[in-house]
């Protein structure tokens, strides 16, 4: 199962992500502070941003996510992360996508 990250700028193209990557990106990186997202005690995700239910993430949010993640991938925390250390190609795709997309929404 995958999640499609749909850009406002259609020329960028839809970015398909494995289902597990998006929650990890949103909760287990510093992006979580930007979009107010965290795991609950039951292991589900608590989120405040309407982007999790079909609304658009703005261009400003996409650019800030890019800035945050560009810094984060240089840290030992990221390099040693149980999930991300084996998925650098997926992170590279999202880092290429974010500054070009003009904002985005999720389809799952």
């Amino acid at each position: 199962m995958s999640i499609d990250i749909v850009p406002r700028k259609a020329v960028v193209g839809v970015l398909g992500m494995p289902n597990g990557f998006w929650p990890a990106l949103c909760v287990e990186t510093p992006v979580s502070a930007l979009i107010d997202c965290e795991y609950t005690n039951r292991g589900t995700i608590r989120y405040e941003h309407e982007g999790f239910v079909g609304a658009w993430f703005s261009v400003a949010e996409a650019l800030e996510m890019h800035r945050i993640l560009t810094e984060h991938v240089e840290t030992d925390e990221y390099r040693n992360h149980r999930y991300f250390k084996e998925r650098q190609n997926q992170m590279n795709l999202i880092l290429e996508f974010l500054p070009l997309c003009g904002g985005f929404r999720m389809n799952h």
Side-chain angles (χ1 to χ4, degrees):
M1 183 176 188
S2 68
I3 294 174
D4 288 336
I5 310 297
V6 180
R8 275 202 193 268
K9 293 181 179 177
V11 296
V12 175
V14 173
L15 180 62
M17 301 300 298
N19 201 28
F21 184 82
W22 187 250
L25 180 85
C26 293
V27 180
E28 298 181 30
T29 71
V31 166
S32 64
L34 175 68
I35 57 176
D36 197 15
C37 191
E38 65 186 2
Y39 288 122
T40 67
N41 291 339
R42 296 186 336 239
T44 60
I45 297 174
R46 185 205 55 80
Y47 56 86
E48 292 297 325
H49 196 288
E50 293 296 314
F52 289 93
V53 290
W56 289 92
F57 287 87
S58 71
V59 65
E61 289 167 324
L63 292 173
E64 183 63 6
M65 285 179 184
H66 181 263
R67 186 194 67 74
I68 290 168
L69 291 171
T70 299
E71 292 175 4
H72 184 63
V73 298
E74 299 299 322
T75 66
D76 287 339
E77 177 186 355
Y78 172 79
R79 286 189 284 271
N80 296 321
H81 190 277
R82 63 175 175 73
Y83 186 86
F84 294 121
K85 68 181 176 184
E86 298 176 5
R87 291 169 176 85
Q88 186 60 46
N89 61 330
Q90 292 167 5
M91 184 61 80
N92 289 342
L93 289 173
I94 198 76
L95 287 171
E96 290 173 15
F97 176 86
L98 287 171
L100 303 174
C101 67
F104 65 91
R105 66 183 172 139
M106 302 175 350
N107 284 344
H108 41 129

